[in-house]
Amino acid sequence: MKKKFIPVSKPLLTDIDILNIFKSLKQGWVSSEGPNVHKFEKKFSKYLGKKYSVAVANGTAALEIAVKSLGFKKGDEIIIPNFTIISNALAAIKQDLDIKLVDCDLFDWNMNYYKLLDSITNKTKAIIVTHIYNFPFRIDNLKKFCKKRKIIIIEDAAEVFGQDILGKKCGSFGDISTFSFYANKQITTGEGGMISTNNKILYKKMMSLRNLCFGKINRFNHDDIGWNYRMTNIQATLGISQLSRINSIVKERQRIGNIYYKLLKNVKNIYIPKPINNVSKNIYWVVGILLIRNKNLTAIKVIEDLKKKNIGARPFFWPISNQDVFKNYKFYDKKKYKNSNYLSKQGLYLPNYLGIKKNEITYICKSLIEILQKY
Ligand SMILES: Cc1ncc(COP(=O)(O)O)c(C=O)c1O
């Protein structure tokens, strides 16, 4: 009998989530005006230990608002990782900032710390620190460095919500931190995002930017060029419901990651990050693996072979430096960033949705090993 397709990701919606949404719909709140948006923001801030949070339409919107709220000038320099989601670059480009890219580390896939330090100049106004896939970037160390030099840190914690660095929550380090609640994230609101900060002025600016910058005196004479990036009450209701389970969600991700690690750690030609390092437990937002040594073996080939066995898998990010849409920008360079290039061709991630069964993971690993023997 043909096996049922195992998707790379799917959200876990419990009966309580559904009941909570049903109850809030019964009360008639559908737009962003409903009480649960503010309630979600409050609970989120409390969980994170930050003063203020602004719920928005998605993680990309969160980054756009965060960057714009800082009021930089055209041409100001911002540093971002090269191996990351395009949203990091878009937020900077939309404010006409000058982007500097930093290559990633081959082992933990975050920006390489020393390359980042090397690329900071006295023109650097801000850094977007994005924690990638498994382990957090050492933002705790960077923070001290940036504080002295008055460089702003925007912490993109979309992938690591619920993880910590030496006991302090990821997303609580940045001057501004951003999150996504897309369906594959630790908690989901369908689409959705959040921005958190301790700075009241930035908070007020961000609240205004997400809501068309309505005028304070004459509502329809707007204060600035903003967006409608509001979150609905329905989404916020789901967010509150999911947030209440964050600890068990993180444990489940780690449990799944650990099963994969045990099954794959000794397989030739694969690198899989371990379950723990000296500051943090691996959150396994995705169970990423790197195909090593054999140059003929690319992630795309393995993904195609896995698909034939009814297993979903995805390639890693495509570097910002190599995006054809950016070919007219100064930072476009297909050769310079060797580690990002390597990861983007040789990296893939495997199914790890909440609730995946152990026998499914065993089947995936067995299939992967069989495929690798072909090459
Ligand atoms: C690190 C990171 N930042 C931002 C985003 C964008 O979030 P969204 O899809 O909600 O716009 C993602 C999406 O996966 C992401 O991984």
Side-chain angles (χ1 to χ4, degrees), residues 71-102:
F72 293 134
K73 290 193 303 295
K74 184 175 177 178
D76 278 346
E77 186 181 285
I78 186 165
I79 297 179
I80 70 169
N82 187 34
F83 183 72
T84 187
I85 185 88
I86 196 167
S87 314
N88 290 171
L90 295 178
I93 280 173
K94 289 190 176 162
Q95 298 311 313
D96 287 324
L97 302 184
D98 197 3
I99 291 180
K100 246 187 173 179
L101 298 172
V102 175

mmCIF file of all heavy atoms in Angstrom, residues 71-102:
data_model
loop_
_atom_site.group_PDB
_atom_site.id
_atom_site.type_symbol
_atom_site.label_atom_id
_atom_site.label_comp_id
_atom_site.label_asym_id
_atom_site.label_seq_id
_atom_site.Cartn_x
_atom_site.Cartn_y
_atom_site.Cartn_z
ATOM 1 N N GLY A 71 13.643 55.706 12.067
ATOM 2 C CA GLY A 71 13.830 57.011 11.423
ATOM 3 C C GLY A 71 15.201 57.232 10.795
ATOM 4 O O GLY A 71 15.723 58.349 10.803
ATOM 5 N N PHE A 72 15.803 56.174 10.255
ATOM 6 C CA PHE A 72 17.100 56.337 9.607
ATOM 7 C C PHE A 72 16.969 57.146 8.323
ATOM 8 O O PHE A 72 15.890 57.256 7.745
ATOM 9 C CB PHE A 72 17.694 54.959 9.259
ATOM 10 C CG PHE A 72 18.051 54.148 10.477
ATOM 11 C CD1 PHE A 72 17.684 52.805 10.562
ATOM 12 C CD2 PHE A 72 18.744 54.721 11.531
ATOM 13 C CE1 PHE A 72 18.013 52.063 11.676
ATOM 14 C CE2 PHE A 72 19.074 53.968 12.655
ATOM 15 C CZ PHE A 72 18.710 52.637 12.720
ATOM 16 N N LYS A 73 18.130 57.656 7.876
ATOM 17 C CA LYS A 73 18.136 58.437 6.625
ATOM 18 C C LYS A 73 18.510 57.533 5.463
ATOM 19 O O LYS A 73 19.198 56.517 5.640
ATOM 20 C CB LYS A 73 19.166 59.568 6.718
ATOM 21 C CG LYS A 73 18.778 60.672 7.691
ATOM 22 C CD LYS A 73 19.644 61.911 7.524
ATOM 23 C CE LYS A 73 21.132 61.675 7.679
ATOM 24 N NZ LYS A 73 21.585 61.259 9.015
ATOM 25 N N LYS A 74 18.117 57.950 4.262
ATOM 26 C CA LYS A 74 18.499 57.241 3.041
ATOM 27 C C LYS A 74 20.026 57.042 3.016
ATOM 28 O O LYS A 74 20.774 57.981 3.287
ATOM 29 C CB LYS A 74 18.051 58.094 1.846
ATOM 30 C CG LYS A 74 18.291 57.449 0.524
ATOM 31 C CD LYS A 74 17.729 58.277 -0.609
ATOM 32 C CE LYS A 74 18.126 57.544 -1.883
ATOM 33 N NZ LYS A 74 17.689 58.067 -3.076
ATOM 34 N N GLY A 75 20.460 55.811 2.753
ATOM 35 C CA GLY A 75 21.902 55.551 2.653
ATOM 36 C C GLY A 75 22.559 55.173 3.973
ATOM 37 O O GLY A 75 23.731 54.812 3.999
ATOM 38 N N ASP A 76 21.830 55.255 5.090
ATOM 39 C CA ASP A 76 22.412 54.799 6.362
ATOM 40 C C ASP A 76 22.706 53.308 6.274
ATOM 41 O O ASP A 76 21.980 52.558 5.604
ATOM 42 C CB ASP A 76 21.438 55.063 7.528
ATOM 43 C CG ASP A 76 21.528 56.498 8.027
ATOM 44 O OD1 ASP A 76 22.501 57.191 7.669
ATOM 45 O OD2 ASP A 76 20.613 56.927 8.765
ATOM 46 N N GLU A 77 23.744 52.884 6.999
ATOM 47 C CA GLU A 77 24.209 51.490 6.840
ATOM 48 C C GLU A 77 23.569 50.548 7.862
ATOM 49 O O GLU A 77 23.526 50.836 9.055
ATOM 50 C CB GLU A 77 25.723 51.485 7.012
ATOM 51 C CG GLU A 77 26.354 50.148 6.741
ATOM 52 C CD GLU A 77 27.864 50.211 6.964
ATOM 53 O OE1 GLU A 77 28.569 50.783 6.105
ATOM 54 O OE2 GLU A 77 28.316 49.708 8.002
ATOM 55 N N ILE A 78 23.088 49.440 7.342
ATOM 56 C CA ILE A 78 22.500 48.411 8.209
ATOM 57 C C ILE A 78 23.140 47.065 7.841
ATOM 58 O O ILE A 78 23.342 46.774 6.664
ATOM 59 C CB ILE A 78 20.958 48.378 8.067
ATOM 60 C CG1 ILE A 78 20.326 47.414 9.075
ATOM 61 C CG2 ILE A 78 20.508 48.025 6.662
ATOM 62 C CD1 ILE A 78 18.811 47.606 9.244
ATOM 63 N N ILE A 79 23.472 46.279 8.852
ATOM 64 C CA ILE A 79 24.079 44.967 8.599
ATOM 65 C C ILE A 79 23.013 43.890 8.789
ATOM 66 O O ILE A 79 22.243 43.941 9.761
ATOM 67 C CB ILE A 79 25.261 44.725 9.555
ATOM 68 C CG1 ILE A 79 26.344 45.764 9.299
ATOM 69 C CG2 ILE A 79 25.811 43.314 9.400
ATOM 70 C CD1 ILE A 79 27.562 45.638 10.197
ATOM 71 N N ILE A 80 22.978 42.950 7.857
ATOM 72 C CA ILE A 80 22.033 41.823 7.988
ATOM 73 C C ILE A 80 22.758 40.513 7.622
ATOM 74 O O ILE A 80 23.776 40.537 6.927
ATOM 75 C CB ILE A 80 20.763 42.010 7.105
ATOM 76 C CG1 ILE A 80 21.094 41.876 5.610
ATOM 77 C CG2 ILE A 80 20.095 43.351 7.341
ATOM 78 C CD1 ILE A 80 19.847 41.781 4.734
ATOM 79 N N PRO A 81 22.208 39.379 8.068
ATOM 80 C CA PRO A 81 22.828 38.115 7.658
ATOM 81 C C PRO A 81 22.622 37.884 6.165
ATOM 82 O O PRO A 81 21.640 38.371 5.591
ATOM 83 C CB PRO A 81 22.054 37.049 8.442
ATOM 84 C CG PRO A 81 21.084 37.759 9.315
ATOM 85 C CD PRO A 81 21.024 39.189 8.920
ATOM 86 N N ASN A 82 23.541 37.146 5.547
ATOM 87 C CA ASN A 82 23.340 36.790 4.143
ATOM 88 C C ASN A 82 22.471 35.541 4.020
ATOM 89 O O ASN A 82 21.686 35.404 3.089
ATOM 90 C CB ASN A 82 24.687 36.557 3.458
ATOM 91 C CG ASN A 82 24.524 36.363 1.967
ATOM 92 O OD1 ASN A 82 23.642 36.969 1.359
ATOM 93 N ND2 ASN A 82 25.335 35.517 1.378
ATOM 94 N N PHE A 83 22.631 34.641 4.991
ATOM 95 C CA PHE A 83 21.840 33.409 4.967
ATOM 96 C C PHE A 83 20.614 33.635 5.841
ATOM 97 O O PHE A 83 20.645 33.430 7.064
ATOM 98 C CB PHE A 83 22.684 32.233 5.482
ATOM 99 C CG PHE A 83 21.962 30.922 5.421
ATOM 100 C CD1 PHE A 83 21.726 30.307 4.197
ATOM 101 C CD2 PHE A 83 21.515 30.292 6.573
ATOM 102 C CE1 PHE A 83 21.035 29.092 4.129
ATOM 103 C CE2 PHE A 83 20.832 29.079 6.517
ATOM 104 C CZ PHE A 83 20.591 28.484 5.294
ATOM 105 N N THR A 84 19.527 34.087 5.217
ATOM 106 C CA THR A 84 18.315 34.405 5.974
ATOM 107 C C THR A 84 17.138 34.551 5.020
ATOM 108 O O THR A 84 17.284 34.472 3.801
ATOM 109 C CB THR A 84 18.511 35.708 6.799
ATOM 110 O OG1 THR A 84 17.375 35.894 7.646
ATOM 111 C CG2 THR A 84 18.646 36.942 5.919
ATOM 112 N N ILE A 85 15.986 34.803 5.589
ATOM 113 C CA ILE A 85 14.768 35.052 4.809
ATOM 114 C C ILE A 85 14.870 36.433 4.139
ATOM 115 O O ILE A 85 15.436 37.363 4.715
ATOM 116 C CB ILE A 85 13.530 34.995 5.743
ATOM 117 C CG1 ILE A 85 12.208 35.118 4.989
ATOM 118 C CG2 ILE A 85 13.572 36.059 6.820
ATOM 119 C CD1 ILE A 85 11.681 33.820 4.509
ATOM 120 N N ILE A 86 14.275 36.553 2.974
ATOM 121 C CA ILE A 86 14.363 37.817 2.217
ATOM 122 C C ILE A 86 13.748 39.001 2.981
ATOM 123 O O ILE A 86 14.136 40.152 2.764
ATOM 124 C CB ILE A 86 13.712 37.660 0.820
ATOM 125 C CG1 ILE A 86 14.142 38.807 -0.097
ATOM 126 C CG2 ILE A 86 12.196 37.543 0.924
ATOM 127 C CD1 ILE A 86 13.835 38.594 -1.555
ATOM 128 N N SER A 87 12.835 38.716 3.888
ATOM 129 C CA SER A 87 12.169 39.785 4.655
ATOM 130 C C SER A 87 13.170 40.714 5.343
ATOM 131 O O SER A 87 12.916 41.911 5.484
ATOM 132 C CB SER A 87 11.252 39.180 5.725
ATOM 133 O OG SER A 87 10.479 38.154 5.183
ATOM 134 N N ASN A 88 14.310 40.182 5.792
ATOM 135 C CA ASN A 88 15.326 41.018 6.445
ATOM 136 C C ASN A 88 15.828 42.086 5.473
ATOM 137 O O ASN A 88 15.956 43.260 5.829
ATOM 138 C CB ASN A 88 16.522 40.176 6.918
ATOM 139 C CG ASN A 88 16.213 39.264 8.096
ATOM 140 O OD1 ASN A 88 17.007 38.435 8.466
ATOM 141 N ND2 ASN A 88 15.036 39.380 8.689
ATOM 142 N N ALA A 89 16.103 41.678 4.243
ATOM 143 C CA ALA A 89 16.606 42.631 3.246
ATOM 144 C C ALA A 89 15.496 43.600 2.819
ATOM 145 O O ALA A 89 15.733 44.801 2.665
ATOM 146 C CB ALA A 89 17.135 41.877 2.036
ATOM 147 N N LEU A 90 14.296 43.081 2.653
ATOM 148 C CA LEU A 90 13.193 43.940 2.188
ATOM 149 C C LEU A 90 12.942 45.099 3.145
ATOM 150 O O LEU A 90 12.718 46.232 2.720
ATOM 151 C CB LEU A 90 11.905 43.108 2.037
ATOM 152 C CG LEU A 90 11.933 42.023 0.959
ATOM 153 C CD1 LEU A 90 10.616 41.254 0.944
ATOM 154 C CD2 LEU A 90 12.217 42.617 -0.420
ATOM 155 N N ALA A 91 12.992 44.802 4.444
ATOM 156 C CA ALA A 91 12.726 45.855 5.437
ATOM 157 C C ALA A 91 13.739 46.992 5.292
ATOM 158 O O ALA A 91 13.386 48.166 5.441
ATOM 159 C CB ALA A 91 12.775 45.270 6.844
ATOM 160 N N ALA A 92 14.986 46.650 4.995
ATOM 161 C CA ALA A 92 16.026 47.675 4.852
ATOM 162 C C ALA A 92 15.894 48.404 3.515
ATOM 163 O O ALA A 92 15.995 49.633 3.445
ATOM 164 C CB ALA A 92 17.398 47.023 4.963
ATOM 165 N N ILE A 93 15.635 47.637 2.463
ATOM 166 C CA ILE A 93 15.533 48.222 1.118
ATOM 167 C C ILE A 93 14.362 49.197 1.037
ATOM 168 O O ILE A 93 14.458 50.260 0.431
ATOM 169 C CB ILE A 93 15.404 47.084 0.089
ATOM 170 C CG1 ILE A 93 16.794 46.516 -0.172
ATOM 171 C CG2 ILE A 93 14.757 47.561 -1.217
ATOM 172 C CD1 ILE A 93 16.822 45.295 -1.035
ATOM 173 N N LYS A 94 13.274 48.862 1.702
ATOM 174 C CA LYS A 94 12.097 49.747 1.620
ATOM 175 C C LYS A 94 12.333 51.099 2.281
ATOM 176 O O LYS A 94 11.623 52.051 2.022
ATOM 177 C CB LYS A 94 10.871 49.030 2.157
ATOM 178 C CG LYS A 94 10.473 47.940 1.161
ATOM 179 C CD LYS A 94 9.171 47.296 1.415
ATOM 180 C CE LYS A 94 8.925 46.318 0.268
ATOM 181 N NZ LYS A 94 7.919 45.328 0.555
ATOM 182 N N GLN A 95 13.362 51.173 3.161
ATOM 183 C CA GLN A 95 13.721 52.475 3.755
ATOM 184 C C GLN A 95 14.978 53.050 3.090
ATOM 185 O O GLN A 95 15.622 53.949 3.656
ATOM 186 C CB GLN A 95 13.939 52.329 5.272
ATOM 187 C CG GLN A 95 12.709 51.870 6.035
ATOM 188 C CD GLN A 95 11.475 52.656 5.681
ATOM 189 O OE1 GLN A 95 11.503 53.889 5.625
ATOM 190 N NE2 GLN A 95 10.371 51.957 5.432
ATOM 191 N N ASP A 96 15.347 52.502 1.923
ATOM 192 C CA ASP A 96 16.522 52.992 1.181
ATOM 193 C C ASP A 96 17.810 52.939 1.987
ATOM 194 O O ASP A 96 18.666 53.838 1.873
ATOM 195 C CB ASP A 96 16.303 54.455 0.715
ATOM 196 C CG ASP A 96 15.322 54.516 -0.433
ATOM 197 O OD1 ASP A 96 15.339 53.600 -1.263
ATOM 198 O OD2 ASP A 96 14.538 55.480 -0.465
ATOM 199 N N LEU A 97 17.972 51.928 2.819
ATOM 200 C CA LEU A 97 19.203 51.815 3.614
ATOM 201 C C LEU A 97 20.267 51.074 2.806
ATOM 202 O O LEU A 97 19.954 50.347 1.856
ATOM 203 C CB LEU A 97 18.917 51.084 4.931
ATOM 204 C CG LEU A 97 17.843 51.720 5.822
ATOM 205 C CD1 LEU A 97 17.718 50.966 7.132
ATOM 206 C CD2 LEU A 97 18.144 53.196 6.088
ATOM 207 N N ASP A 98 21.495 51.271 3.215
ATOM 208 C CA ASP A 98 22.610 50.630 2.537
ATOM 209 C C ASP A 98 22.903 49.307 3.268
ATOM 210 O O ASP A 98 23.334 49.317 4.423
ATOM 211 C CB ASP A 98 23.798 51.599 2.633
ATOM 212 C CG ASP A 98 24.878 51.250 1.641
ATOM 213 O OD1 ASP A 98 24.659 50.305 0.856
ATOM 214 O OD2 ASP A 98 25.939 51.906 1.675
ATOM 215 N N ILE A 99 22.686 48.188 2.573
ATOM 216 C CA ILE A 99 22.817 46.883 3.229
ATOM 217 C C ILE A 99 24.236 46.354 3.136
ATOM 218 O O ILE A 99 24.851 46.363 2.075
ATOM 219 C CB ILE A 99 21.852 45.865 2.568
ATOM 220 C CG1 ILE A 99 20.413 46.237 2.892
ATOM 221 C CG2 ILE A 99 22.168 44.438 2.999
ATOM 222 C CD1 ILE A 99 19.390 45.297 2.298
ATOM 223 N N LYS A 100 24.729 45.874 4.275
ATOM 224 C CA LYS A 100 25.999 45.129 4.291
ATOM 225 C C LYS A 100 25.667 43.713 4.731
ATOM 226 O O LYS A 100 24.938 43.531 5.716
ATOM 227 C CB LYS A 100 26.934 45.750 5.316
ATOM 228 C CG LYS A 100 28.138 46.383 4.726
ATOM 229 C CD LYS A 100 29.049 46.785 5.843
ATOM 230 C CE LYS A 100 30.356 47.265 5.332
ATOM 231 N NZ LYS A 100 31.207 47.677 6.443
ATOM 232 N N LEU A 101 26.194 42.724 4.022
ATOM 233 C CA LEU A 101 25.867 41.328 4.338
ATOM 234 C C LEU A 101 26.999 40.659 5.109
ATOM 235 O O LEU A 101 28.168 40.977 4.886
ATOM 236 C CB LEU A 101 25.616 40.551 3.046
ATOM 237 C CG LEU A 101 24.451 41.028 2.182
ATOM 238 C CD1 LEU A 101 24.448 40.282 0.846
ATOM 239 C CD2 LEU A 101 23.122 40.829 2.904
ATOM 240 N N VAL A 102 26.617 39.711 5.957
ATOM 241 C CA VAL A 102 27.617 38.924 6.683
ATOM 242 C C VAL A 102 27.368 37.444 6.406
ATOM 243 O O VAL A 102 26.232 36.967 6.522
ATOM 244 C CB VAL A 102 27.534 39.198 8.205
ATOM 245 C CG1 VAL A 102 28.489 38.288 8.966
ATOM 246 C CG2 VAL A 102 27.842 40.650 8.499
#
